[in-house]
Amino acid sequence: MASHLEPDSLPSPGEDGLAHSAALVARIEREIEAAGGWLPFSRYMELALYTPGLGYYSGGSVRFGRRPEDGSDFVTAPELTPLFARTVARPVADALTSSGTREVFEFGAGTGKLAAGLLETLDRWSVPVDRYTIVDLSGALREQQRQTIADRVPHLVDRVRWIDVLPEQFEGVAIGNEVLDAMPVRLHVRSENGWLERGVVAKSRGGEAIEVGSGATSAFAWDDRSTAHDDALLTLLDAIDADEGFVTESHEAARAFTRTLVEKLTRGVILLIDYGFPEREYYHPQRAEGTLMCHYRHRAHGDPFLYPGLQDITAHVDFTGIAQTGIDAGADLLGYMTQGRFLLNSGLADTLSDIDPRDTIAFLPAANAVQKLVSEAEMGELFKVVAFGKGVDPDAITAFVSGDRSHTL
């Protein structure tokens, strides 16, 4: 996690963006002061991403796209190609049929392209979907999702609803693509005398601001303190053969989200797609700087204090912890595998073959996108898929019949 970037290494967000970020900085500084001068990083990350009206995901700053010229910060699989949604529709159809349910829930629906693609494909296959429920906190994204769905499948838009929180109980198929990685994480650093928690202090309480690029200055700094670690977390951290200065994350928020989903699900399937590793790889001694990463205008860097509210902050997922949480909450683990294998098992190659290779204008971009989705050097190996079920046949989702890696968790 770099503390600063080279000057001018990132583009400036402009006056309006800087003003937006400054308002969020002031809000975070007030909370730090109210907390006695120090916040755990998990709370800083929560404020930077989700402060109403100002956070990256709740203030209208998030941008999905394919290149920095369109003002976007990163691209997700549904934005990369419509073939992703058409392919994921197969395991979703399997899950709906096996569970006998007729509703799909999507978390963090981005621009709505996954929703539109799933609705379109399931309708073409005559798979009954009475309702498609999107859980998203961003008002700006909700409008974009509504427009995307209305443009793609106008005859199905009336089946879509938006909610802020899940009901106490639900049944159906829940899907989250790149949701877990954006949930706040705690940071832990190995000191000479044991584990400390890495937190955030405001520089306005002393010290010089540090230039972080494009003339911007950081209002915050790291501060490591001794805080409470529960026994399970200490057992996990103490098992790492870590040298002094080793930094890693713990995923309390992602595990709580998974637990809540499983406990509320009465019948159906949960599909979670994200980048990450099983525990033995996640906490490997060589991963000494952790996995915290920021995205701004399609450039990845390690400074979460740069332009708060205008950049994404993420961490890779500990899939062992997620899988164990789901099982402990009462679900069956239906499968865990790489995204590449999952998509190929779900018929991605057949979906690509529907495009005439002689139509190079259509075929070449689609083939390039497929390569990015499944290649071990791209998204195919780093991204994983984990599935939980209740009241369904464990073998119902054909995507998990071969290539399952649950034994590695």
Side-chain angles (χ1 to χ4, degrees):
M1 294 177 297
S3 60
H4 67 280
L5 302 168
E6 291 299 320
D8 302 319
S9 63
L10 294 174
S12 170
E15 291 185 6
D16 290 344
L18 290 173
H20 179 104
S21 183
L24 180 58
V25 166
R27 166 72 176 80
I28 297 173
E29 285 179 328
R30 290 195 297 272
E31 176 141 346
I32 291 175
E33 183 176 7
W38 184 89
L39 282 182
F41 177 76
S42 55
R43 179 56 179 161
Y44 170 86
M45 184 173 173
E46 181 181 5
L47 291 168
L49 297 180
Y50 301 109
T51 295
L54 293 173
Y56 182 72
Y57 283 102
S58 56
S61 297
V62 62
R63 296 289 184 270
F64 299 87
R66 302 185 68 166
R67 57 186 62 88
E69 290 77 17
D70 58 24
S72 61
D73 298 308
F74 55 85
V75 63
T76 62
E79 306 296 322
L80 189 64
T81 172
L83 300 183
F84 179 80
R86 294 175 197 166
T87 304
V88 172
R90 172 51 59 200
V92 170
D94 288 345
L96 288 168
T97 302
S98 177
S99 63
T101 59
R102 301 164 73 105
E103 184 168 6
V104 176
F105 293 80
E106 184 182 354
F107 297 86
T111 63
K113 289 185 178 179
L114 178 56
L118 288 176
L119 282 165
E120 182 179 47
T121 307
L122 294 171
D123 184 60
R124 188 171 69 250
W125 292 344
S126 299
V127 177
V129 178
D130 293 340
R131 190 159 60 183
Y132 195 104
T133 298
I134 294 176
V135 186
D136 205 311
L137 300 178
S138 171
L141 284 177
R142 284 187 180 193
E143 288 308 310
Q144 192 172 5
Q145 293 156 8
R146 191 187 309 275
Q147 190 60 53
T148 297
I149 296 167
D151 290 343
R152 284 276 301 276
V153 283
H155 62 296
L156 300 176
V157 70
D158 61 343
R159 299 186 190 178
V160 184
R161 66 165 179 165
W162 284 261
I163 60 176
D164 294 320
V165 295
L166 275 173
E168 284 304 307
Q169 292 185 325
F170 75 97
E171 63 176 28
V173 177
I175 184 167
N177 182 63
E178 292 198 53
V179 171
L180 297 176
D181 66 85
M183 295 191 174
V185 295
R186 293 172 68 187
L187 296 183
H188 311 278
V189 58
R190 179 77 181 187
S191 73
E192 182 181 1
N193 298 315
W195 289 97
L196 301 176
E197 182 162 5
R198 176 153 289 180
V200 180
V201 295
K203 286 186 175 177
S204 58
R205 293 294 171 257
E208 295 294 326
I210 297 176
E211 189 176 81
V212 295
S214 303
T217 57
S218 172
F220 305 107
W222 298 114
D223 187 76
D224 303 332
R225 299 191 177 184
S226 177
T227 61
H229 290 81
D230 62 49
D231 291 342
L233 178 57
L234 276 176
T235 298
L236 176 66
L237 295 175
D238 286 341
I240 305 171
D241 183 17
D243 293 330
E244 186 176 347
F246 183 97
V247 178
T248 193
E249 305 91 19
S250 60
H251 299 262
E252 287 79 3
R255 295 183 68 159
F257 170 79
T258 303
R259 184 181 305 108
T260 297
L261 270 189
V262 170
E263 290 176 347
K264 289 178 177 290
L265 179 69
T266 56
R267 182 176 47 150
V269 171
I270 299 167
L271 282 171
L272 300 173
I273 306 171
D274 226 310
Y275 45 87
F277 313 100
E279 183 179 289
R280 63 183 176 83
E281 296 179 38
Y282 196 101
Y283 296 106
H284 194 281
Q286 292 182 354
R287 204 177 301 283
E289 295 184 353
T291 72
L292 192 70
M293 184 166 50
C294 305
H295 299 275
Y296 178 74
R297 304 292 174 86
H298 290 266
R299 303 187 193 185
H301 66 91
D303 193 337
F305 302 148
L306 177 69
Y307 305 140
L310 303 182
Q311 67 167 350
D312 194 18
I313 307 173
T314 75
H316 289 50
V317 178
D318 167 18
F319 277 103
T320 298
I322 296 300
Q324 191 60 57
T325 297
I327 293 169
D328 291 345
D332 296 319
L333 178 64
L334 302 182
Y336 165 74
M337 63 175 46
T338 65
Q339 175 180 282
R341 171 58 65 181
F342 178 78
L343 293 176
L344 290 172
N345 286 356
S346 300
L348 179 60
D350 293 335
T351 305
L352 176 63
S353 69
D354 291 339
I355 304 174
D356 187 347
R358 294 170 297 182
D359 182 1
T360 56
I361 294 178
F363 184 80
L364 288 180
N368 288 335
V370 167
Q371 174 70 9
K372 188 175 181 67
L373 289 174
V374 303
S375 169
E376 291 185 0
E378 298 276 0
M379 300 170 70
E381 177 70 25
L382 178 60
F383 278 69
K384 311 296 194 305
V385 184
V386 64
F388 302 101
K390 277 187 177 180
V392 298
D393 180 353
D395 297 324
I397 302 180
T398 55
F400 291 106
V401 170
S402 66
D404 183 71
R405 291 191 183 181
S406 297
H407 63 280
T408 67
L409 291 169

